[in-house]
Amino acid sequence: MTKRQENALKTRQKLIDTTEDLLKTNGFNALCVEDITKSAGVAKGTFYVYFEHKEDIVAEICRGYFKQIEYKLNEMTDSDLIEKLSVYFDNFMKAVELYGINICREWIRSTIDPKTAPDYTDMSKWQYDINMLTNILNNAIENRELKKDTPVELLTHLIISQLYGMMTCWCMSDGVFEPKDWTKKFADFQLTAILSEYLI
Amino acid sequence: MTKRQENALKTRQKLIDTTEDLLKTNGFNALCVEDITKSAGVAKGTFYVYFEHKEDIVAEICRGYFKQIEYKLNEMTDSDLIEKLSVYFDNFMKAVELYGINICREWIRSTIDPKTAPDYTDMSKWQYDINMLTNILNNAIENRELKKDTPVELLTHLIISQLYGMMTCWCMSDGVFEPKDWTKKFADFQLTAILSEYLI
DNA sequence: TGAGTCATTGACTTTCGGTCAGTAATTTTG
DNA sequence: CAAAATTACTGACCGAAAGTCAATGACTCA
């Protein structure tokens, strides 16, 4: 890598880090590009070299969190279904709690905003989540943890909607409860209720 | 009511109706106050007589939908639990489908946005929803439809998060499925799974 | 009918996202 | 090693849209 490329990468990363800090403390409403670039020590124009628009950098940040969860999940290929799903939920909510409520708000906002959602990854965020969970469930069927006639699509939808529901509720309630506790509630109670009929 | 008060009310309503139309067709991103006032046939300043800021009028619109659902629910006091909950879900999702995906997006956005959420009603939207469902469940306990040891708070959280989860997923997926179908799925499958342990 | 009240107006300010022609730092070429 | 080429970076500028406010005029009431 040449020095030029290295510097460019550093500048880009500096912008991302700065934005993350500002988002955590002030939320998306108060986020403005001039603040970002001033804090990052670059000119406003530089921002638009690396990101198409303001929403773009936020989507990038959320994408980063998501990749981390995905990575952890890929590391545990031989665990059983319930364990995998627990990890999935757990990491999701841990991330959400760690990064704070403003980031969580932004996660949801950017997910439902047509301006950022479509190119969230190579496919839509929705399709990505669906695929991820479908794989987990199909794997469980292959491993004879789940019955063959398990309604994978239905379960996938229910689980994902529960996950996003929890996040949305957390933001709505302005953070009155601990997301981790809720995940535990869900894993212990509802996940079992949903799956029990189909577990072998 | 004097003619002056009547006119003021009409102006306010005209602004709301116009905003609703614009929201449905173009979404929140494209919504601007000048378009609203131009379409409503008033000056820009008039808008700020009736609403503090742009987000304010949208919250008002969403509040309107919510009141309608609440009204329907209050009309059926003597129905049984499952029926009540079905109506709750059904009306929610029917409303969402009727008003369109952009309104639904706005519903969620305004709910998680601290700028509009806190004064959504006299209490927070979150508290309002919680109370409403808690009442339904407590009533069911009184009517001996549910066991006394039913974990009302847990169930309330799960049901609400499922509801908001469905809406969020619908927006995420850019409307690939029918919300009504999903409600049915939920009512038939998950609601029973969640409640079965506690139904008498 | 005239004084007082209050809804309405639209020009104005401010803020902020986004652009672009020019500059400076780095790399390549001869 | 110096000139040419490339490309990261700059910041003044633009336009759009949020929000303000002093002036206007429609309505009310004594």
Side-chain angles (χ1 to χ4, degrees):
Chain A
M1 192 184 292
T2 66
K3 195 177 172 186
R4 184 179 270 170
Q5 285 172 312
E6 225 169 78
N7 285 341
L9 222 66
K10 266 187 204 163
T11 304
R12 192 187 132 94
Q13 195 54 46
K14 181 88 197 169
L15 284 169
I16 292 178
D17 293 344
T18 307
T19 305
E20 200 180 334
D21 284 345
L22 290 173
L23 261 187
K24 277 186 198 169
T25 36
N26 309 320
F28 185 76
N29 280 340
L31 189 71
C32 85
V33 175
E34 214 144 358
D35 285 352
I36 296 173
T37 51
K38 213 175 276 175
S39 297
V42 296
K44 199 176 177 182
T46 308
F47 182 92
Y48 290 93
V49 173
Y50 297 103
F51 304 98
E52 260 187 71
H53 44 245
K54 200 176 76 165
E55 286 83 355
D56 207 26
I57 194 170
V58 183
E60 173 78 18
I61 289 169
C62 292
R63 202 151 42 221
Y65 301 150
F66 192 68
K67 289 282 172 197
Q68 281 174 35
I69 297 170
E70 204 191 357
Y71 179 76
K72 277 191 195 160
L73 210 65
N74 281 334
E75 271 187 329
M76 48 184 299
T77 36
D78 41 309
S79 321
D80 72 0
L81 177 66
I82 295 287
E83 204 185 326
K84 261 189 202 170
L85 287 178
S86 295
V87 168
Y88 184 66
F89 272 80
D90 227 49
N91 279 312
F92 231 105
M93 296 317 260
K94 255 191 220 156
V96 158
E97 206 166 19
L98 177 67
Y99 298 125
I101 201 163
N102 283 328
I103 296 280
C104 184
R105 286 193 170 109
E106 193 41 38
W107 185 309
I108 295 171
R109 203 206 52 73
S110 74
T111 300
I112 63 173
D113 181 356
K115 192 171 178 183
T116 46
D119 52 352
Y120 199 85
T121 49
D122 47 332
M123 60 194 85
S124 77
K125 180 83 177 65
W126 168 252
Q127 198 51 56
Y128 206 94
D129 284 353
I130 290 284
N131 287 353
M132 202 161 164
L133 264 179
T134 304
N135 282 339
I136 295 177
L137 291 182
N138 280 335
N139 255 314
I141 292 176
E142 271 173 40
N143 298 341
R144 293 167 202 274
E145 293 176 74
L146 277 181
K147 290 181 189 167
K148 275 191 176 172
D149 64 338
T150 307
V152 174
E153 199 195 354
L154 171 62
L155 291 183
T156 310
H157 283 184
L158 289 176
I159 291 173
I160 291 187
S161 76
Q162 188 62 43
L163 192 60
Y164 279 92
M166 285 196 289
M167 289 201 286
T168 306
C169 285
W170 189 50
C171 295
M172 271 176 83
S173 73
D174 208 26
V176 293
F177 48 79
E178 301 285 303
K180 268 188 303 189
D181 288 353
W182 207 353
T183 322
K184 206 170 143 37
K185 267 189 209 170
F186 179 80
D188 291 351
F189 181 82
Q190 196 171 21
L191 203 53
T192 323
I194 293 176
L195 288 176
S196 62
E197 214 180 311
Y198 302 102
L199 283 172
I200 295 179
Chain B
M1 191 183 294
T2 66
K3 195 177 174 187
R4 185 180 270 173
Q5 286 172 311
E6 223 169 78
N7 285 342
L9 221 66
K10 264 187 202 163
T11 305
R12 193 187 131 93
Q13 195 54 47
K14 182 87 197 167
L15 283 169
I16 292 177
D17 294 344
T18 307
T19 306
E20 199 180 335
D21 284 346
L22 290 172
L23 260 187
K24 276 187 200 168
T25 37
N26 308 319
F28 185 76
N29 281 339
L31 189 70
C32 84
V33 175
E34 211 145 359
D35 286 352
I36 296 172
T37 52
K38 212 175 276 173
S39 297
V42 296
K44 200 175 176 183
T46 307
F47 182 91
Y48 290 94
V49 172
Y50 296 103
F51 304 97
E52 259 188 72
H53 44 244
K54 203 176 72 165
E55 285 83 356
D56 208 26
I57 194 170
V58 183
E60 173 79 19
I61 290 169
C62 291
R63 203 153 41 223
Y65 300 150
F66 192 67
K67 290 279 172 201
Q68 280 173 36
I69 296 170
E70 203 190 358
Y71 179 77
K72 276 190 196 162
L73 210 64
N74 282 334
E75 272 187 329
M76 48 183 300
T77 37
D78 42 309
S79 319
D80 71 1
L81 177 65
I82 295 286
E83 203 185 327
K84 263 189 201 169
L85 287 178
S86 296
V87 168
Y88 184 65
F89 273 80
D90 228 48
N91 279 313
F92 231 105
M93 295 317 261
K94 254 190 219 155
V96 158
E97 205 166 20
L98 176 66
Y99 299 125
I101 201 163
N102 283 329
I103 296 280
C104 184
R105 286 192 170 109
E106 194 40 38
W107 185 308
I108 295 170
R109 203 205 53 73
S110 74
T111 300
I112 62 172
D113 182 356
K115 192 171 177 182
T116 45
D119 53 351
Y120 199 84
T121 50
D122 47 333
M123 61 193 85
S124 76
K125 182 82 176 66
W126 168 252
Q127 197 52 55
Y128 206 94
D129 284 355
I130 290 285
N131 288 352
M132 202 161 165
L133 264 180
T134 304
N135 282 339
I136 295 178
L137 291 182
N138 280 336
N139 255 316
I141 292 177
E142 271 172 40
N143 298 342
R144 292 169 202 273
E145 291 177 74
L146 276 181
K147 291 182 189 166
K148 274 188 177 171
D149 65 337
T150 308
V152 174
E153 198 195 354
L154 171 63
L155 291 183
T156 310
H157 284 185
L158 288 176
I159 291 172
I160 291 186
S161 77
Q162 188 62 42
L163 193 60
Y164 278 91
M166 285 196 290
M167 288 201 287
T168 307
C169 285
W170 189 50
C171 296
M172 271 177 83
S173 73
D174 208 27
V176 294
F177 46 80
E178 300 285 302
K180 267 186 304 190
D181 288 353
W182 207 352
T183 323
K184 208 171 141 36
K185 268 189 208 171
F186 179 81
D188 290 352
F189 181 82
Q190 197 172 19
L191 203 54
T192 323
I194 293 178
L195 289 176
S196 62
E197 213 179 312
Y198 303 101
L199 283 171
I200 295 178

